[in-house]
Amino acid sequence: MSSPSDPIQSLIPLLATPVALIGACIGSFINVVAWRLPREESLIWPGSHCPRCGTPLAWFENIPVLAWLMLRGRCRHCHQPIAARYPFVESLCAGLWVAVLLARPDRMGAGAEPVLLLVAGWFLVSWLLPMVLIDLDRLWLPEPMLRWGVLLGLAFTALLGFLQDPATGRRLLLEHLVATALGLLGFEAVSALAERALGRPALGLGDAKLAALMGAWLGPGGLGVAVALAVFGGALVGGVARILGRLGPNQPFPFGPFLAAGTVLVWLVGPQPWLRLMLPALVP
């Protein structure tokens, strides 16, 4: 997955801490996106404020993770609890940014420019995370983010491919365009068949568009493995939740987080390790 000539490899010990800090700050903004976007509020104005009392927050109340710890999980003004999800998302985003720094994915071609590939990975995880939070809260995936996510994936694919050579660029872009169509049409077909068989759709249209986004970033092979991981993870978590009584027999639950997790797992380590894990007898 990595190349001896990759300049980033030697800099990882120096970059890990600042990358984690930037990732935590991005995670703080992602919390804002996940709260405001479903409510159709501006992401920029007004500035950060307590969602309960509306008091604007001082700069030190916006420090990722540390502010929540210093305030002991309560607003300094109205003393109402601040959800633990805020520092969790900030920490998760920091961890994902460092994981992308350590990874050397081949989804955009083995000879892809490492710095641009790194930026692409950071874009991907930062784009998926707010959609996961919104889907968990609302069972809904925001249409604009899905559309722009597809376009960003295809743009990064084209740029990374054509920087290698025109033939690689055309091949990669065609493969990822095909994967985008396969993700969208395949999920829509499964949902339509399930609706005929069960009388209700098994998947939302947002999931189909998220699958298209996955295809744009991962290509056909990566898409297939990511979907398989999502199906396995969703079946496992859904089955356990039903056994424990946390999920009713016909109660819907969000599938977007599992698709996003599958996407990130394939981006970080590639499809081959997961294929070996799922099909040890068939994959060397």
Side-chain angles (χ1 to χ4, degrees):
M1 300 293 284
S2 61
S3 166
S5 61
D6 187 342
I8 297 174
Q9 287 292 307
S10 59
L11 296 175
I12 285 178
L14 296 174
L15 291 174
T17 298
V19 163
L21 292 174
I22 295 170
C25 293
I26 297 295
S28 181
F29 180 67
I30 284 171
N31 277 320
V32 173
V33 174
W35 175 265
R36 296 192 184 188
L37 189 61
R39 294 168 175 80
E40 299 183 351
E41 298 177 9
S42 169
L43 303 182
I44 301 171
W45 185 264
S48 297
H49 56 276
C50 174
R52 296 178 185 270
C53 66
T55 306
L57 303 182
W59 67 268
F60 58 85
E61 295 175 282
N62 274 318
I63 301 173
V65 183
L66 291 179
W68 189 88
L69 295 173
M70 289 188 298
L71 295 169
R72 298 183 179 180
R74 290 189 175 273
C75 173
R76 187 167 64 98
H77 310 281
C78 65
H79 307 294
Q80 291 298 307
I82 304 170
R85 185 170 101 170
Y86 288 96
F88 174 77
V89 170
E90 292 160 356
S91 302
L92 175 61
C93 193
L96 287 172
W97 270 55
V98 174
V100 169
L101 175 66
L102 298 173
R104 287 296 171 269
D106 57 4
R107 298 299 85 220
M108 303 291 188
E113 166 60 39
V115 175
L116 187 55
L117 193 59
L118 189 59
V119 172
W122 286 334
F123 257 96
L124 177 61
V125 298
S126 303
W127 204 263
L128 289 172
L129 191 48
M131 290 195 287
V132 166
L133 298 174
I134 292 169
D135 200 19
L136 287 170
D137 289 339
R138 302 289 185 106
L139 289 174
W140 168 71
L141 290 163
E143 176 83 22
M145 292 197 72
L146 292 167
R147 284 199 308 266
W148 279 104
V150 170
L151 294 176
L152 280 169
L154 294 175
F156 271 113
T157 298
L159 183 57
L160 284 157
F162 280 99
L163 282 176
Q164 296 173 65
D165 61 75
T168 300
R170 287 192 294 270
R171 176 181 57 80
L172 278 175
L173 185 55
L174 178 60
E175 288 178 359
H176 286 231
L177 280 168
V178 169
T180 300
L182 286 174
L184 179 65
L185 298 177
F187 267 61
E188 286 186 347
V190 168
S191 184
L193 289 171
E195 188 168 12
R196 281 193 175 188
L198 305 174
R200 55 186 176 84
L203 298 165
L205 289 178
D207 294 326
K209 293 169 185 175
L210 179 53
L213 182 154
M214 294 163 64
W217 285 87
L218 301 178
L223 171 65
V225 174
V227 169
L229 289 170
V231 170
F232 175 78
L236 180 63
V237 171
V240 170
R242 285 193 167 91
I243 290 171
L244 296 177
R246 303 294 296 272
L247 195 65
N250 296 314
Q251 182 181 346
F253 73 102
F255 191 48
F258 299 99
L259 290 171
T263 303
V264 172
L265 290 173
V266 170
W267 180 271
L268 293 178
V269 303
Q272 284 299 114
W274 303 113
L275 282 172
R276 289 192 205 102
L277 188 63
M278 291 185 290
L279 304 168
L282 300 178
V283 180

